[in-house]
């Protein structure tokens, strides 16, 4: 199912999400508009909790904030018992300002700056995932030997090639993330960590990529982590109490895509962890997973208004909408495919069209070749599965204003992020004279 769980059509054919007609939301908040269905968010977060409770109760589910992060989301994640993965000072700051408990925050990143690490230490976050030797140099200097100490995981690169877009692969040998097991680099980092008094090595982490729908690569990652853990126990006597195969579980984007059941994912990861723990003689450690997309992706729908419709006879019909690559760069960057539906009415007929954005790039196409009812300027087009890595990667290209975001539940809508205004575009203009005050 690519649409939020509450999606339906009312009697007049309008698309309704969370009990609220999309037309009503657009009337109030304009387009482009991102709608998050709270029921879907809760259901996805809960599905993770239930699946791991069933298959591996010592699991920790860490939401990867890079998929979409906003303060309104944090209480929902917190009440579902999730932890939070941040990858920058910005995400950390937002989590802190949003009141997310610091002790449930995990800090990732392949080039954390001294300032970012200082903020993490000052806020007392739960865990840092060490990516490289430079980071160890920094932590060695920054974490006092006689303080409370810092929990760390070591990110290793297991050399696993998952089937996903090349830009999303992170666990292959040629990667900027983590330290390679094969070359001995990861083992050298373990040796260093155990020698740094302020650091407590809790275990090992690997993340092999994103939008992966096969289960086998995750099982292989778990296995590789345990094998490495056993080798480190033999060499340095360290026993991990945490193993993390990262995030990356995919979602369907188009109606024919595989369903990607969270329970099947949890079962596969859990089964390989239990088997590997037994094989290598470990008590089952905490099993940490870091879903981003599979929690927020299916909850989000982007809504655009149709403007220009351009026919190139015998070639293509371009339907241009009032958003595009500035709010969703995924089609342009990865060739990502989306589906769409007419949201303000049920239409007649069906024609193959290309939904193009409004930005100054030929590559600014949201959907190439989709069959939709005959469209008119003013119609509303809704794109499902838009909750992850759309707003998170949004830009002000062409000085576009970032869209408003509403959360819907039980027939009510809340504006959770307002649309940017033209004045926001001036906020960082260091040399612009202050406009005269009107009062
Ligand atoms: N953990 C780590 C260490 C990660 O690097 C990532 C994603 C995740 C967890 C969450 O992965 P997810 O469950 O969301 O797949 N912009 C790309 C995706 C980049 C993913 C980066 N890392 C896209 O739009 O497809």
């Amino acid at each position: 199912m690519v649409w939020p769980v509450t999606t339906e059509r009312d009697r007049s054919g309008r698309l309704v999400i969370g009990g609220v007609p999309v037309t009503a939301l657009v009337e109030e908040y304009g387009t482009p508009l991102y709608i998050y269905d709270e029921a879907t968010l809760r259901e996805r977060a809960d599905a993770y909790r239930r699946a791991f409770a069933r298959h591996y109760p010592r699991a920790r589910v860490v939401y990867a904030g890079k998929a979409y992060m906003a303060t309104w989301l944090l209480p929902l994640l917190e009440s579902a018992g999730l932890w939070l993965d941040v990858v920058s000072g910005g995400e950390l700051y937002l989590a802190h300002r949003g009141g997310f408990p610091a002790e449930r925050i995990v800090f990732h990143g392949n080039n954390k700056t001294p300032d970012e690490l200082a903020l993490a230490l000052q806020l007392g976050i739960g865990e840092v995932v060490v990516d490289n030797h430079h980071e160890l140099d920094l932590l060695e200097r920054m974490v006092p030997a006689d303080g409370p100490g810092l929990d760390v995981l070591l990110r290793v690169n297991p050399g696993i090639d998952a089937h996903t877009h090349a830009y999303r692969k992170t666990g292959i040998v040629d990667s900027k993330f983590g330290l390679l097991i094969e070359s001995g680099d990861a083992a050298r980092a373990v040796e260093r960590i155990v020698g740094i008094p302020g650091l407590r090595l809790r275990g090992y982490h690997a993340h092999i990529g994103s939008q992966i729908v096969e289960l086998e690569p995750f099982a292989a990652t778990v296995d590789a982590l345990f094998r490495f853990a056993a080798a480190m126990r033999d060499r340095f006597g360290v026993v991990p109490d945490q193993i993390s195969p990262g995030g990356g579980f995919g979602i369907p984007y188009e109606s024919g895509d595989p369903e990607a059941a969270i329970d099947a994912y949890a079962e596969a990861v859990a089964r390989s962890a239990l088997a590997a723990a037994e094989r290598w003689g470990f008590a089952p450690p905490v099993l940490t997973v870091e879903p981003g997309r599979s929690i927020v992706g299916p909850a989000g729908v982007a809504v655009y208004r149709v403007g220009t419709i351009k026919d190139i006879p015998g070639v293509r019909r371009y339907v241009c909408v009032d958003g595009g690559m500035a709010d969703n760069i995924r089609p342009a960057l990865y060739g990502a495919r989306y589906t769409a539906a007419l949201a303000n009415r049920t239409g007649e007929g069906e024609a193959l069209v290309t939904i193009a954005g409004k930005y100054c790039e030929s590559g600014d196409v949201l959907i190439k070749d989709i069959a939709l009812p005959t469209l008119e300027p003013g119609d509303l087009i809704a794109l499902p599965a838009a909750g992850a890595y759309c707003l998170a990667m949004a830009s002000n290209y062409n000085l576009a204003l970032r869209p408003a975001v509403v959360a819907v539940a039980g027939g009510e809508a809340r504006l959770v992020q307002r649309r940017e205004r033209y004045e926001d575009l001036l906020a960082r203009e260091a040399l612009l004279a202050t406009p005269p005050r009107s009062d």
Side-chain angles (χ1 to χ4, degrees):
M1 171 75 166
V2 294
W3 293 91
V5 292
T6 62
T7 308
E8 55 191 345
R9 292 253 175 204
D10 67 10
R11 279 212 207 97
S12 44
R14 298 173 305 180
L15 199 70
V16 175
I17 302 172
V20 190
V22 166
T23 45
L25 294 170
V26 164
E27 218 164 275
E28 180 138 16
Y29 304 110
T31 49
L33 182 66
Y34 276 72
I35 303 168
Y36 280 89
D37 178 45
E38 293 192 39
T40 305
L41 283 172
R42 282 180 218 286
E43 191 176 300
R44 309 288 301 177
D46 232 52
Y48 269 97
R49 191 174 44 187
R50 274 185 280 114
F52 279 100
R54 184 156 48 230
H55 300 296
Y56 198 109
R58 285 204 80 200
R60 180 182 295 172
V61 182
V62 182
Y63 170 68
K66 73 203 82 178
Y68 170 64
M69 180 110 154
T71 54
W72 71 271
L73 194 60
L74 299 173
L76 195 146
L77 300 171
E78 192 188 341
S79 65
L82 269 54
W83 284 48
L84 180 67
D85 144 10
V86 300
V87 285
S88 68
E91 288 187 0
L92 184 53
Y93 176 77
L94 194 125
H96 169 63
R97 292 298 307 270
F100 198 86
E103 65 279 7
R104 267 159 60 182
I105 296 178
V106 179
F107 192 14
H108 266 286
N110 68 303
N111 190 20
K112 305 175 187 79
T113 66
D115 283 354
E116 289 174 324
L117 287 170
L119 180 61
L121 292 173
Q122 181 206 324
L123 296 177
I125 68 157
E127 203 164 72
V128 170
V129 182
V130 171
D131 178 274
N132 57 72
H133 288 280
H134 172 67
E135 189 176 333
L136 278 179
D137 294 341
L138 295 173
L139 288 175
E140 190 165 16
R141 263 179 263 140
M142 295 171 79
V143 181
D146 53 357
L150 178 68
D151 284 345
V152 299
L153 291 185
L154 176 66
R155 178 163 181 172
V156 302
N157 178 346
I160 289 173
D161 193 352
H163 295 131
T164 189
H165 191 282
Y167 289 2
R168 283 192 299 253
K169 290 183 188 187
T170 51
I172 51 172
V173 169
D174 184 0
S175 166
K176 69 172 182 170
F177 296 106
L179 293 173
L180 206 54
I181 292 179
E182 193 182 292
S183 65
D185 219 9
R188 276 189 289 281
V190 172
E191 186 172 17
R192 283 191 65 192
I193 295 172
V194 294
I196 299 175
L199 303 187
R200 273 187 305 271
L201 181 61
R202 306 309 297 215
Y204 307 109
H205 170 281
H207 171 80
I208 51 168
S210 192
Q211 184 54 15
I212 298 166
V213 288
E214 299 91 358
L215 301 177
E216 198 279 326
F218 294 111
T221 304
V222 169
D223 211 53
L225 286 167
F226 273 96
R227 190 171 325 121
F228 178 70
M232 295 305 97
R233 177 185 54 195
D234 294 348
R235 277 180 66 179
F236 307 113
V238 282
V239 175
D241 63 6
Q242 196 184 142
I243 289 289
S244 171
F249 190 47
I251 59 166
Y253 279 91
E254 293 181 282
S255 49
D257 290 350
E259 204 37 59
I262 289 169
D263 192 76
Y265 164 80
E267 189 185 3
V269 175
R271 192 183 314 133
S272 56
L274 291 170
E278 191 174 329
R279 179 166 349 121
W280 300 104
F282 290 109
V286 170
L287 181 62
T288 299
V289 292
E290 296 168 341
R293 182 192 322 261
S294 68
I295 289 182
V296 288
V301 174
V303 184
Y304 304 98
R305 195 178 286 285
V306 173
T308 307
I309 298 177
K310 204 171 274 182
D311 261 313
I312 306 176
V315 177
R316 185 175 300 285
R317 172 179 287 190
Y318 282 101
V319 173
C320 301
V321 296
D322 54 1
M325 68 189 294
D327 63 272
N328 183 358
I329 201 172
R330 300 191 68 259
L333 194 55
Y334 312 115
R337 291 280 314 173
Y338 284 85
T339 187
L342 179 58
N344 50 311
R345 59 185 175 94
T346 47
E348 315 260 294
E350 206 175 65
L352 208 58
V353 296
T354 285
I355 310 285
K358 75 190 296 293
Y359 304 106
C360 295
E361 305 263 347
S362 297
D364 177 29
V365 163
L366 286 171
I367 308 176
K368 195 172 169 192
D369 295 334
I370 179 171
L372 285 173
T374 309
L375 298 169
E376 306 281 344
D379 275 336
L380 298 174
I381 304 273
L383 256 77
Y389 302 111
C390 294
L391 292 172
M393 297 173 85
S395 75
N396 289 120
Y397 183 45
N398 290 176
L399 293 191
L401 302 176
R402 271 178 270 232
V405 183
V406 289
V408 290
E412 305 273 322
R414 289 188 290 158
L415 177 69
V416 290
Q417 292 182 288
R418 68 158 171 83
R419 182 176 311 285
E420 275 182 333
R421 309 182 181 111
Y422 286 142
E423 306 90 86
D424 294 324
L425 299 174
L426 301 181
R428 294 176 310 110
E429 292 303 302
L431 301 182
L432 187 75
T434 315
R437 290 168 60 114
S438 53
D439 53 339

